[in-house]
Amino acid sequence: MISNGAYTEAFVWIWLPGHTEPVVAGRLTHDSSNLVFNYGKSYLARQNAMPVYEPELPLKPGTLPLLEGLSMPGCIRDGSPDAWGRRVIINKKLGLAGAKANTAELDELTYMLESGSDRIGALDFQHSATEYVPRMTVNATLEELLESAERVEKGIPLTPELDQALQHGSSIGGARPKALIADEARKYIAKFSSSADLYSLVKAEFIAMRLAKRVGLNVAPVSLTQSAGKDVLLVERFDRKRAKNGWERKPMVSALTLLGLDEMMARYASYEVLAEIIRHRFKNASATLRELYSRLVFNILCGNTDDHARNHAAFWDGDMLTLTPAYDICPQGRTGNEASQAMLISGNNRMSQIASCIEAAPHFLLTPNEATEIAEKQRQIIEESWTIVCDEASLSKVDRKLLWGRQFLNPYAFSE
């Protein structure tokens, strides 16, 4: 939902590369049922001004037209909260009704202006064009954050203290319970188990991410900890850099934005088209294509069918793009063998099979032999490392039996 909200505008602030303080870039306003953006004159006059993302929002005066089919600029929507953050805000705004509320009951500007300021990428949204007031929180313990997440899941209103603790992480994407924590040198996304989990999804994601690292993928560092007797996955953030006088933020865009799509059109997102964009607009295109292909193969081998276009992203430097480390690699629940990926692989084919990947290899500038070798090497490393990584996670025998051969290395992946 875009219109009929309490807010009529939001000012978009941006952290420019190498800086630890933001500057105002422009304003987001209603235009009929859409949200449109225009840069501020002061921003356009800056010598170091960079487009929020080009070609979508080039550095030009006036209201910038939306891409066909979009109701707001995709690169700005990337900074807005996703399912979990919206549930936190609904809980705050609607209380008990939040348990049954549809996320469309609140408008997009509300989600932007009510969510925490430490959001993914280098943008934030403010009421003012002249004064930046971060919506931060005091440091909260993992126990407090867990309690907050559980109350949101049940639709129970948060106390003021718990509300403040969880709001900080409401800007982070994804559907599962999570929050933000930090130490002196690093920032993390803390992911919690859910009351609806049938097995330890937190440990399953840890195992997948650790195995992804072992097969040679560039992935975000992860670690496991416990709080109140529950597992917590800590994912180190790669969009933040500690500087002497604060934190630098790295501009990012999702693959959904790269493809010019929104959530309603996400089913059309395609590895084939993303590979074409990489060939033309990314640094080190050949190596990047091999990395993306390897991630596709690993998603299939570990049973991660939730590889939608918001689970791929790129750093943006104002001119060129660079693939971010992989994240959100989480094996999905599976009852049978046949499965399909969230993104199309090639043409209309999205079947979770290595054969689909090999067929698509030319789009990644790989020969069939090179593509086959990547898949075989990954399979071998997963088999060799399985027990080691499961031991790292202290995964129970029951969950090992549940995951092996079903999510990880399901026979369907190797069928023709």
Side-chain angles (χ1 to χ4, degrees):
M1 181 177 179
I2 297 295
S3 57
N4 302 321
Y7 302 113
T8 60
E9 64 182 10
F11 291 95
V12 179
W13 289 64
I14 186 171
W15 277 254
L16 293 169
H19 292 262
T20 58
E21 296 293 335
V23 296
V24 66
R27 185 175 66 151
L28 200 63
T29 55
H30 289 297
D31 176 17
S32 184
S33 60
N34 299 324
L35 286 174
V36 293
F37 177 80
N38 66 279
Y39 286 106
K41 291 181 179 179
S42 63
Y43 186 75
L44 290 174
R46 297 181 67 93
Q47 289 187 342
N48 63 343
M50 61 177 278
V52 173
Y53 173 61
E54 204 168 31
E56 188 174 42
L57 294 180
L59 285 174
K60 295 180 179 179
T63 299
L64 299 174
L66 294 169
L67 297 182
E68 184 177 356
L70 298 188
S71 58
M72 66 179 296
C75 58
I76 292 180
R77 171 60 181 85
D78 284 340
S80 192
D82 281 338
W84 173 252
R86 291 171 188 242
R87 287 184 66 181
V88 173
I89 295 166
I90 285 173
N91 183 286
K92 177 181 179 180
K93 301 289 286 185
L94 303 179
L96 283 171
K100 300 179 180 179
N102 187 300
T103 55
E105 292 191 28
L106 298 177
D107 68 295
E108 200 65 42
L109 288 179
T110 297
Y111 287 123
M112 289 178 170
L113 291 168
E114 294 283 346
S115 54
S117 290
D118 198 7
R119 61 192 73 248
I120 294 296
L123 300 181
D124 191 24
F125 310 109
Q126 294 280 306
H127 298 280
S128 171
T130 57
E131 183 183 12
Y132 180 78
V133 182
R135 295 180 296 280
M136 297 296 192
T137 184
V138 295
N139 287 330
T141 66
L142 281 175
E143 286 82 0
E144 290 172 321
L145 293 170
L146 271 166
E147 181 183 349
S148 302
E150 289 172 355
R151 291 172 71 97
V152 168
E153 280 201 295
K154 296 174 182 177
I156 302 172
L158 299 174
T159 65
E161 294 78 17
L162 293 180
D163 175 74
Q164 188 183 29
L166 203 60
Q167 187 201 20
H168 187 33
S170 61
S171 55
I172 300 299
R176 293 183 56 76
K178 58 179 63 69
L180 296 177
I181 61 174
D183 58 27
E184 288 297 318
R186 296 177 180 85
K187 294 197 173 191
Y188 303 89
I189 297 172
K191 295 188 174 185
F192 309 128
S193 58
S194 168
S195 57
D197 291 348
L198 299 178
Y199 57 93
S200 180
L201 285 179
V202 166
K203 287 187 175 180
E205 182 171 351
F206 171 81
I207 289 167
M209 293 286 283
R210 294 287 293 130
L211 286 172
K213 179 70 172 178
R214 282 177 170 260
V215 304
L217 299 184
N218 176 22
V219 299
V222 295
S223 59
L224 269 179
T225 187
Q226 278 206 338
S227 179
K230 295 187 177 181
D231 297 312
V232 180
L233 178 68
L234 299 181
V235 184
E236 187 176 331
R237 293 183 64 173
F238 47 73
D239 62 335
R240 295 292 183 266
K241 180 181 177 182
R242 184 65 168 164
K244 290 182 179 180
N245 58 338
W247 291 92
E248 296 178 15
R249 302 192 180 192
K250 297 182 179 181
M252 282 173 51
V253 288
S254 70
L256 202 63
T257 292
L258 296 177
L259 295 165
L261 303 173
D262 66 7
E263 277 76 11
M264 300 299 293
M265 299 184 285
R267 64 186 180 278
Y268 300 115
S270 163
Y271 281 100
E272 177 183 349
V273 178
L274 182 56
E276 182 178 354
I277 294 171
I278 288 172
R279 289 198 297 272
H280 295 288
R281 303 197 57 223
F282 275 63
K283 298 176 181 177
N284 305 316
S286 179
T288 302
L289 288 168
R290 187 181 184 93
E291 171 74 14
L292 181 64
Y293 180 84
S294 299
R295 294 183 189 185
L296 167 59
V297 169
F298 185 79
N299 281 334
I300 290 175
L301 294 183
C302 80
N304 176 31
T305 54
D306 192 34
D307 57 338
H308 56 79
R310 284 208 183 279
N311 279 345
H312 299 278
F315 295 122
W316 164 248
D317 67 5
D319 180 44
M320 296 288 285
L321 296 153
T322 308
L323 199 64
T324 71
Y327 56 95
D328 281 356
I329 303 177
C330 185
Q332 301 299 301
R334 193 163 174 169
T335 54
N337 285 332
E338 186 171 312
S340 58
Q341 299 304 118
M343 280 178 58
L344 294 162
I345 296 172
S346 180
N348 291 320
N349 179 15
R350 65 173 82 240
M351 303 313 293
S352 306
Q353 296 173 298
I354 297 303
S356 302
C357 300
I358 295 172
E359 182 182 338
H363 302 303
F364 299 85
L365 303 184
L366 296 170
T367 67
N369 285 341
E370 289 173 325
T372 302
E373 183 181 346
I374 288 171
E376 177 56 29
K377 182 181 178 182
Q378 287 195 15
R379 181 198 63 77
Q380 181 181 345
I381 293 173
I382 290 171
E383 287 183 340
E384 293 173 349
S385 304
W386 173 251
T387 299
I388 297 171
V389 175
C390 286
D391 287 347
E392 284 183 39
S394 299
L395 190 69
S396 70
K397 291 183 179 179
V398 172
D399 279 353
R400 293 186 198 206
K401 186 175 181 180
L402 178 69
L403 293 174
W404 186 254
R406 184 173 299 176
Q407 278 85 348
F408 291 88
L409 301 190
N410 189 295
Y412 181 70
F414 305 101
S415 61
E416 298 292 336

